[in-house]
Amino acid sequence: MTNASRKTELKIPEGVLLGHALVARLAAGLGIRAFFIKGPVSVLQGLREAKVSADVDVVVDPLRLEDLMQGLHERGWRGRPVDPDSRTFPKHSVTFYHPEWPCCIDVHFRFPGMESPGPDCFESLWANTETLELAGQRLVVPSRELGVLFLALHALRTPALPSCIDELEYLADLTGREGLSGRVLELARATSSLAAVRPFLEVLLPSGVTVVWQEPSPEWRNRVAAQDPGSARLLAILQAPWSEKPRMLWGALFPAREVFLSGNIYADLSLPGQLRQHRARWVRFLRGLPRLIWGLRKVPFKGD
């Protein structure tokens, strides 16, 4: 299937198409190395089934992150509010929105599951990119095997979701047909993502291949164990030193306004609006509690 026919089948929203072109031109103009992941580029590469994309995902050289962010600010883009608790929610990207633009731009300076230091990891990633055309713009994208690694890691964050199960099955079939497992393994080693990608990759490798699998990092274990914000907060409190627990518990019970705005930049911050959102948070937390308790069996949580 040609790129043009895939574009028609995809029905890519115009805002997403223009968003890719905008970021590509901005990065090129500033001399910043950046490449696009997931979304329509993965479909055009045949790495996932067609689906509607709602935003733009770009990986940027972490040493030039501030420059790209400044360029977006100068063009009217603003950083979306985020939860200030970086211990509970380690940051890996910055999301930008524009009041007159129908999509967001997620600027990734690292990718969960890839444990190599940011600049070193980016060099390994950049060495495995290629180009394709989208919206009349030549975009830098991952090689096929690197695209598989990105999509597998993304799905493995929430491996029990039906959509992620389907994505992992699709990737496994593709990797097996095209014999990509060896190259994916090399990239997993280069980016220190062996531990995170093991459940996907281990069953695809030939029987004679020996791999010394890494242990999952605390951050990755927590991401997989805690599948919603409430569960993540509880897990972080349990793991924190005793001296930090009271402050974190207070923040969980009485969250900053950015917590509400991170989910919806137009959230109602009036007293009744905040009360409704508090209630919704507790409902989500209680629904996810059984799954969290099950996940805690393999996660260390004793405070220092």
Side-chain angles (χ1 to χ4, degrees):
M1 181 178 292
T2 65
N3 284 1
S5 59
R6 280 190 181 275
K7 174 181 173 181
T8 301
E9 180 183 351
L10 273 172
K11 297 181 180 178
I12 306 172
E14 184 179 7
V16 174
L17 287 172
L18 295 177
H20 281 81
L22 167 71
V23 177
R25 288 196 298 267
L26 175 59
L30 295 173
I32 298 174
R33 293 179 298 172
F35 63 94
F36 297 88
I37 60 173
K38 302 189 296 179
V41 298
S42 294
V43 179
L44 289 171
Q45 290 180 293
L47 300 181
R48 67 182 349 175
E49 296 179 310
K51 59 177 66 178
V52 176
S53 298
D55 53 20
V56 177
D57 288 278
V58 60
V59 180
V60 63
D61 180 352
L63 299 179
R64 301 292 307 278
L65 173 64
E66 295 295 332
D67 296 331
L68 186 65
M69 291 172 57
Q70 180 61 34
L72 288 170
H73 276 294
E74 292 173 355
R75 288 157 178 79
W77 292 82
R78 297 292 178 261
R80 187 164 184 159
V82 297
D83 193 309
D85 184 0
S86 59
R87 182 186 183 98
T88 301
F89 306 103
K91 304 301 184 288
H92 61 274
S93 64
V94 182
T95 300
F96 287 87
Y97 74 97
H98 193 294
E100 301 175 1
W101 207 286
C103 75
C104 291
I105 297 174
D106 290 329
V107 181
H108 297 258
F109 51 88
R110 68 184 186 94
F111 200 80
M114 296 181 177
E115 305 293 345
S116 293
D120 295 339
C121 187
F122 184 82
E123 294 301 331
S124 298
L125 300 176
W126 186 255
N128 290 276
T129 57
E130 57 189 38
T131 61
L132 60 74
E133 184 173 339
L134 181 68
Q137 186 80 31
R138 296 298 295 178
L139 304 182
V140 183
V141 300
S143 64
R144 291 181 65 75
E145 53 269 22
L146 181 55
V148 168
L149 180 59
F150 271 117
L151 293 174
L153 288 173
H154 186 260
L156 287 167
R157 294 188 217 173
T158 51
L161 285 180
S163 60
C164 292
I165 293 173
D166 292 342
E167 180 124 286
L168 290 169
E169 290 178 350
Y170 184 90
L171 288 170
D173 179 67
L174 181 147
T175 301
R177 288 198 323 269
E178 300 190 10
L180 298 177
S181 62
R183 283 290 295 138
V184 175
L185 175 62
E186 292 176 11
L187 290 168
R189 285 195 178 111
T191 57
S192 296
S193 55
L194 282 173
V197 80
R198 180 177 182 176
F200 167 77
L201 187 57
E202 188 173 27
V203 298
L204 297 174
L205 294 171
S207 57
V209 176
T210 302
V211 181
V212 179
W213 299 100
Q214 301 165 321
E215 288 297 317
S217 68
E219 178 186 339
W220 183 257
R221 286 198 302 264
N222 290 354
R223 283 186 183 275
V224 175
Q227 295 295 299
D228 57 76
S231 299
R233 290 185 194 281
L234 177 58
L235 187 56
I237 292 170
L238 292 172
Q239 292 177 327
W242 283 102
S243 59
E244 296 185 20
K245 291 182 189 293
R247 176 185 59 80
M248 296 178 67
L249 182 59
W250 180 267
L253 294 174
F254 304 100
R257 56 185 288 147
E258 289 85 358
V259 174
F260 298 129
L261 294 173
S262 64
N264 177 11
I265 58 176
Y266 305 108
D268 180 2
L269 295 182
S270 67
L271 180 57
Q274 292 190 49
L275 290 175
R276 286 194 296 270
Q277 291 172 85
H278 274 294
R279 180 181 180 277
R281 291 176 74 244
W282 278 103
V283 169
R284 290 194 299 268
F285 170 71
L286 293 174
R287 285 176 177 171
L289 191 57
R291 182 172 52 192
L292 171 62
I293 294 173
W294 178 260
L296 284 177
R297 297 177 307 122
K298 298 183 180 179
V299 179
F301 59 86
K302 185 177 179 180
D304 295 336

